[in-house]
Amino acid sequence: MYKTIDMDSLKLNQNFRWIVEKKNFFSQEECDEMKKYIDENSKRARGHVSDLEGDSINFKWGKKDCVMNISTNERQDILDKFWTTINVANQLYYHYDIKGIYHNRIQAHRYDVNDTYNPHSDFHNYNLYSSLKLTSIVFLNDHTEYEGGEFMLFDGTIIEPEVGKLVIHPAFAGHGVAPITKGHRYSCVCWAVGDTFV
């Protein structure tokens, strides 16, 4: 039988933000270094939100697969930089139980012409994705080097790319990347993880 609750007794988070931004998280030099790393180490691959066969799940939206150039990087200094900033944002705005970075690495991307990432949530029930709490993305270049490729949130908000800008949002927030129409769009991403939301 349902029992009434006292709404005033619930813990609230009045500081919650859908997006937290930190400009100049990476310097121009760090962005250039990461772009070079991506060019030298990435491979064409589908993102997990694609129409995949076999043991994977079909998270396809629209008519395009999520295909891009993907590389990973486990450099300690980069992980330290992300983790420090993620922890500050978490303490200020989210208060999630986070334990580390997904697979102890960052993932770095280059989107070429026609590459896109369909609308999706990073938090879902497939594989280990229900452990994802916060998504952190760094823009490594801006619209002076490419056209299209807008980073959009579930509510239609477009986050303007700035070289070196970090964006943090809850992993359950829907987002996507519009198709690239000219040039190459570079970014890197990692996810803060912890026990699933309970």
Side-chain angles (χ1 to χ4, degrees), residues 3 5 30 44 68 80 101 134 146 153 181 186 195:
K3 295 181 181 179
I5 60 170
E30 289 171 317
R44 293 292 287 171
M68 71 206 82
D80 289 344
I101 293 175
L134 294 170
Y146 66 90
L153 283 183
T181 57
Y186 291 86
D195 293 334

Side-chain angles (χ1 to χ4, degrees), residues 32-178:
D32 291 342
E33 180 183 339
M34 185 62 72
K35 286 163 57 179
K36 181 179 179 189
Y37 179 87
I38 293 167
D39 287 339
E40 293 174 352
N41 295 282
S42 66
K43 296 179 182 175
R44 293 292 287 171
R46 284 187 168 104
H48 72 270
V49 188
S50 290
D51 188 14
L52 301 176
E53 298 177 6
D55 294 334
S56 193
I57 192 165
N58 181 342
F59 274 105
K60 185 176 178 180
W61 282 269
K63 297 180 179 178
K64 291 182 177 277
D65 276 345
C66 307
V67 180
M68 71 206 82
N69 304 283
I70 300 176
S71 61
T72 59
N73 193 313
E74 299 171 356
R75 272 181 41 191
Q76 188 67 46
D77 59 326
I78 296 174
L79 291 171
D80 289 344
K81 190 168 190 167
F82 269 100
W83 187 239
T84 299
T85 305
I86 289 168
N87 269 296
V88 170
N90 187 51
Q91 289 171 14
L92 291 172
Y93 304 112
Y94 301 107
H95 312 292
Y96 297 156
D97 176 21
I98 57 175
K99 301 187 184 313
I101 293 175
Y102 183 73
H103 285 300
N104 306 300
R105 68 183 187 207
I106 65 162
Q107 193 166 288
H109 304 147
R110 186 186 75 228
Y111 292 80
D112 299 330
V113 172
N114 294 322
D115 288 354
T116 186
Y117 214 120
N118 293 320
H120 65 285
S121 167
D122 294 330
F123 176 88
H124 51 78
N125 65 342
Y126 175 67
N127 208 345
L128 300 174
Y129 297 111
S130 67
S131 69
L132 275 56
K133 300 287 187 78
L134 294 170
T135 299
S136 302
I137 301 163
V138 178
F139 297 102
L140 300 176
N141 63 341
D142 60 22
H143 284 306
T144 62
E145 296 185 11
Y146 66 90
E147 294 178 7
E150 293 84 3
F151 179 74
M152 299 167 290
L153 283 183
F154 65 96
D155 62 355
T157 300
I158 294 176
I159 307 300
E160 287 301 318
E162 296 177 37
V163 176
K165 180 167 75 174
L166 171 71
V167 173
I168 298 174
H169 64 78
F172 53 76
H175 58 283
V177 177

Side-chain angles (χ1 to χ4, degrees), residues 6-23:
D6 176 9
M7 290 296 295
D8 293 328
S9 70
L10 300 177
K11 293 179 183 177
L12 304 176
N13 180 2
Q14 301 297 336
N15 293 322
F16 176 86
R17 302 284 183 274
W18 282 111
I19 285 284
V20 175
E21 296 183 8
K22 179 173 176 51
K23 294 185 179 186

